[in-house]
Every structure is written in structure tokens, then in C-alpha cells.
Amino acid sequence: MTLWALLLLYGAPWPFTFPGRVASAVGVDVPDDMKSRIPVVLLACGSFNPITNMHLRLFEVARDHLHQTGMYQVIQGIISPVNDKYGKKDLVASHHRVAMARLALQTSDWIRVDPWESEQAQWMETVKAPSQRTAQISTPSGRYRPGPGTVSPCSCT
């Protein structure tokens, strides 16, 4: 599993919206000190065969670390199960892995499952998945534009 930190730069204002979902910061009183931080979306790509508590814990540890730096505000986590054509032995069908992940995330108000990667016609390299996610992220004004260096792998060990 790879965990990515998608840094939302270019001074895009709060609130951020995502297709089919509004980030948890929308409609919630966000402390002023958090509004001045760089917003980040955490993205985990992997088989999630099956999803485990440790997958979810990784998100919590990464979020806590990034918040403790004082520079970043994690606004969302995304779990992206790999396509069925990945070729891993005994890989459960993606619709089942997506369903298991959704069940595991029922109580989370900031992590969601995105089935996009698993629904593609063929498997893609993990490094290509973050680019699709940054294209999905927008502000109400439509002013957010991902720029060079906005996607980076996060080492949270």
C-alpha cells in the first residue's frame, strides 16, 4: 500500500468540495489557525485484500503527524482499491473489496472509499492514481489548479 499526500496549493480558499461529497470542513467551524495551513488530502492506493484496522490507523497516524507540524490541515482521506487486473494471487473481486472498505469506514467522517481505480478497464501503475484525484478536487469558485509538486508520497513510519 502506498500513502500519498495531495497538497492543495495555490491559495485555494476554504471550503473544498469533492465529487459526491463535501469535505468535513464545509459547514463546520474550522479554527482560524487551521485555515492558514496548507490543506492536504491523504490517498492510500493498494489491494485492501481485505482492508484492516492498520490501514485505517495509518491514516490517523499520518493526519496526526501532519497536523503536529503546524503547516498542514488534512481535510480528507481516500482509500483507492486496486483494479481486478492487478494480477495479485487470490485478489478478491474489486466490488467486494470496495464494499468491505465502505463498511469499515461507516463511522469515519473524513476517510472515504473511491472506487475509480478499481473500475477502470485495466490496471494502472499506482503513481498515476494521484493525478486523477487532484483533477477531481475543486473549490466552489473552480479556482483550484494542481501545480507542479502538489502530489507527493508520504512516508509515515
Side-chain angles (χ1 to χ4, degrees):
M1 181 185 84
T2 303
L3 182 66
W4 295 84
L6 307 179
L7 305 179
L8 308 181
L9 302 175
Y10 291 101
W14 291 81
F16 288 95
T17 59
F18 298 85
R21 180 182 167 121
V22 177
S24 59
V26 175
V28 175
D29 289 329
V30 177
D32 287 336
D33 67 323
M34 295 299 252
K35 288 182 182 178
S36 65
R37 296 178 181 204
I38 298 169
V40 173
V41 174
L42 296 176
L43 169 65
C45 301
S47 63
F48 302 101
N49 191 45
I51 191 165
T52 68
N53 287 335
M54 290 310 294
H55 289 123
L56 305 180
R57 183 73 185 122
L58 181 61
F59 276 92
E60 300 289 339
V61 169
R63 181 178 69 167
D64 291 348
H65 172 74
L66 290 169
H67 285 182
Q68 287 173 357
T69 68
M71 295 176 53
Y72 305 102
Q73 170 62 31
V74 175
I75 59 172
Q76 187 176 56
I78 301 172
I79 290 179
S80 180
V82 73
N83 186 281
D84 288 340
K85 295 181 180 173
Y86 175 58
K88 182 176 181 178
K89 184 180 178 187
D90 299 326
L91 186 65
V92 174
S94 61
H95 67 279
H96 291 301
R97 292 181 286 117
V98 168
M100 286 187 284
R102 285 188 174 136
L103 286 171
L105 295 169
Q106 282 181 330
T107 60
S108 178
D109 62 352
W110 70 280
I111 306 172
R112 68 178 178 90
V113 179
D114 183 349
W116 179 85
E117 187 178 352
S118 67
E119 293 171 346
Q120 298 310 296
Q122 56 187 325
W123 171 78
M124 69 175 59
E125 293 176 335
T126 299
V127 74
K128 294 179 182 176
S131 298
Q132 193 278 335
R133 294 331 185 287
T134 57
Q136 287 181 344
I137 300 168
S138 65
T139 65
S141 66
R143 291 190 298 185
Y144 171 71
R145 292 169 295 130
T150 61
V151 178
S152 57
C154 176
S155 176
C156 302
T157 55

